[in-house]
């Protein structure tokens, strides 16, 4: 389909042969929770796409990231969603922490690690990075205990990153830290958590930590949200843009199948695709501003408006796609219904539209943007 040509060309340029492999695998194969699509992505170097070139990665920017995630989402919904959790954290580490995260990013590139993210990404301020983790001082580092439910990439992660407030006896209470932990560190275990039949291939389960030791060399100081708000705005911006692109890709893949099967009239197919294309254009415009170095509440507010508009565009497009696909596919298989359900997952990533309405209204009226 013409509308995906640039996105798939970008994917082919950076991961040669991978898009073709996904197409041959098919949606059922890509969404098999026992399959190896995530590990195949890792082996192909997909985890290095946002690592800066000088540290051994590809150095993609935000606009290219938006296009790439949309391309992946059309072929492999779970892969797009799961890898967003890696990509946004890598991009944020490179953009916001720079030299402080250089050793970690270099290791990610050299070992082709995938990074699982343990954090409450939907809240700005102190609560943004307090996912129920208990931290205590230890000789030569810290120990951490707690749980993350849900956490994607639980089987394929090479590193687990989490953010927490430093303990009182080691630093001021307001000082936040990024902790980087090998996935096989003593005290880490995984438990089943995901029960929905859709997006099972994201490897989303529970990660539990019991007195896990983190040496000083794997602790990255972040600072105080009140003193460096741009760092936290950057984190949320990257997440919103990449996760929205992934779900737009899932929806676009459903409409593409209408074109492949020539279901409905030309007007039907154009009407199904048009809202998705419109939102994608807005998303790319925001991503270009990120690439140009902009990072502020106004850009974050606009990104949330586009994301929430995307949720409605996705619903409109996928409802139409399911209807146009016809009754027999609905009766004889669950692929269409599963894809529709998967596309709705964007609504459940933080911050939800409901929780953001009042803060966005205040911001649109001339006040500040404070998400809770």
């Amino acid at each position: 389909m013409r509308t995906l040509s640039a996105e798939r060309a970008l994917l082919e340029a950076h991961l040669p042969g991978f898009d073709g492999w996904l197409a041959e695998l098919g949606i059922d194969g890509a969404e098999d929770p026992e399959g190896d699509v995530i590990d195949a992505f890792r082996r192909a170097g997909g985890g290095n796409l946002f690592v800066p070139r000088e540290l051994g990665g590809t150095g993609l920017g935000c606009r290219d990231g938006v296009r790439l995630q949309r391309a992946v989402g059309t072929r492999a919904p779970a892969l797009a969603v799961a890898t967003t959790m890696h990509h946004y954290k890598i991009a944020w580490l490179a953009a916001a922490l720079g030299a402080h995260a250089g050793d970690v990013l270099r290791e990610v590139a050299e070992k082709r690690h995938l990074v699982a993210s343990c954090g409450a990404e939907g809240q700005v301020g102190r609560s943004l990075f307090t996912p129920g983790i208990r931290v205590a001082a230890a000789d030569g580092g810290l120990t951490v205990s707690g749980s993350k439910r849900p956490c994607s990439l639980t089987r394929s992660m090479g590193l687990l990153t989490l953010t927490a407030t430093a303990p009182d006896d080691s630093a001021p209470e307001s000082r936040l830290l990024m902790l980087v932990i090998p996935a096989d560190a003593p005290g880490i275990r995984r438990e089943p958590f995901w029960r929905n039949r859709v997006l099972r291939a994201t490897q989303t389960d529970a990660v539990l930590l019991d007195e896990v030791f983190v040496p000083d060399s794997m602790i990255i100081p972040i600072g105080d949200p009140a003193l460096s708000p741009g760092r936290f705005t950057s984190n949320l911006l990257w997440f919103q843009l990449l996760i929205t692109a992934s779900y737009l890709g899932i929806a676009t893949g459903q409409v593409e199948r209408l074109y492949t099967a020539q279901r409905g009239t030309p007007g039907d197919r154009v009407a199904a695709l048009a809202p998705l294309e419109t939102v994608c254009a807005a998303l790319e415009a925001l991503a270009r501003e990120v690439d140009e170095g902009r990072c502020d509440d106004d850009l974050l507010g606009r990104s949330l408006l586009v994301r929430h508009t995307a949720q409605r565009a996705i619903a409109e497009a996928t409802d139409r796609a399911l209807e146009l696909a016809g009754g027999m596919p609905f009766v004889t298989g669950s692929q269409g219904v599963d894809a529709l359900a998967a596309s709705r997952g964007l609504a459940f990533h933080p911050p939800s539209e409901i929780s953001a309405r009042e803060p966005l209204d205040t911001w649109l009226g001339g006040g500040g943007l404070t998400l809770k």
Side-chain angles (χ1 to χ4, degrees):
M1 191 166 64
R2 180 181 296 275
T3 191
L4 293 169
S5 58
E7 288 85 349
R8 287 178 174 158
L10 179 72
L11 181 57
E12 177 64 22
H14 294 296
L15 298 180
F18 191 72
D19 181 65
W21 180 76
L22 286 178
E24 184 177 346
L25 185 65
I27 191 78
D28 287 335
E31 296 304 286
D32 182 357
E34 302 303 319
D36 70 342
V37 67
I38 289 179
D39 196 53
F41 181 81
R42 183 194 64 78
R43 294 194 306 268
N48 295 354
L49 292 170
F50 292 89
V51 176
R53 287 192 180 91
E54 62 270 23
L55 298 177
T58 304
L60 287 188
C62 193
R63 189 183 73 159
D64 281 348
V66 163
R67 288 183 169 182
L68 184 135
Q69 289 305 97
R70 188 186 185 195
V72 173
T74 65
R75 306 282 200 203
L79 179 64
V81 174
T83 56
T84 292
M85 307 308 169
H86 165 91
H87 291 323
Y88 96 90
K89 183 55 66 69
I90 293 299
W92 177 68
L93 285 171
L97 299 183
H100 293 294
D103 290 342
V104 172
L105 295 172
R106 189 175 289 107
E107 180 179 349
V108 167
E110 290 176 353
K111 298 183 179 180
R112 295 198 169 185
H113 280 319
L114 291 180
V115 176
S117 177
C118 180
E121 290 86 0
Q123 302 174 38
V124 171
R126 185 188 305 255
S127 60
L128 173 62
F129 292 124
T130 53
I133 299 297
R134 301 182 300 280
V135 181
D139 186 23
L142 299 170
T143 60
V144 294
S145 299
S147 63
K148 176 65 165 76
R149 299 183 179 93
C151 181
S152 298
L153 301 171
T154 54
R155 297 199 308 271
S156 296
M157 66 180 179
L159 296 172
L160 174 67
T161 63
L162 59 90
T163 43
T165 303
D168 293 340
D169 51 358
S170 65
E173 184 180 356
S174 62
R175 187 183 183 195
L176 295 179
L177 306 171
M178 170 76 69
L179 311 180
V180 184
I181 307 172
D184 58 358
I188 293 182
R189 59 190 176 92
R190 301 142 176 90
E191 287 186 350
F193 185 74
W194 192 265
R195 294 182 176 87
N196 197 321
R197 74 181 186 185
V198 301
L199 296 177
R200 289 180 298 166
T202 56
Q203 300 180 9
T204 300
D205 283 306
V207 173
L208 292 85
L209 303 97
D210 183 15
E211 297 295 317
V212 177
F213 177 70
V214 185
D216 288 331
S217 60
M218 301 297 280
I219 300 173
I220 303 171
I222 300 175
D224 188 328
L227 300 177
S228 54
R231 288 181 173 177
F232 307 97
T233 301
S234 172
N235 179 78
L236 193 50
L237 263 173
W238 275 96
F239 177 71
Q240 295 303 316
L241 297 177
L242 294 182
I243 198 67
T244 302
S246 297
Y247 282 101
L248 284 167
I250 297 172
T252 306
Q254 294 175 64
V255 177
E256 181 181 32
R257 286 184 275 280
L258 296 179
Y259 277 86
T260 301
Q262 287 293 288
R263 300 293 302 184
T265 68
D268 289 332
R269 295 190 292 272
V270 170
L273 185 60
L276 301 178
E277 284 299 293
T278 301
V279 176
C280 281
L283 200 65
E284 286 196 25
L286 294 171
R288 279 196 296 271
E289 293 193 51
V290 172
D291 287 338
E292 291 166 359
R294 185 171 181 186
C295 178
D296 54 37
D297 281 354
D298 284 350
L299 189 59
L300 177 58
R302 288 162 56 208
S303 77
L304 291 171
L305 293 176
V306 169
R307 175 201 150 168
H308 298 149
T309 301
Q311 291 171 199
R312 290 185 287 277
I314 287 169
E316 178 185 344
T318 54
D319 284 351
R320 192 183 298 265
L322 183 67
E323 180 180 355
L324 292 175
M328 289 308 295
F330 180 86
V331 171
T332 58
S334 63
Q335 186 182 101
V337 176
D338 288 349
L340 182 145
S343 72
R344 296 298 202 274
L346 181 57
F348 306 119
H349 291 281
S352 69
E353 183 174 5
I354 292 174
S355 69
R357 283 172 183 167
E358 186 174 340
L360 284 170
D361 181 68
T362 298
W363 166 70
L364 288 167
L369 179 62
T370 303
L371 300 174
K372 300 177 181 180

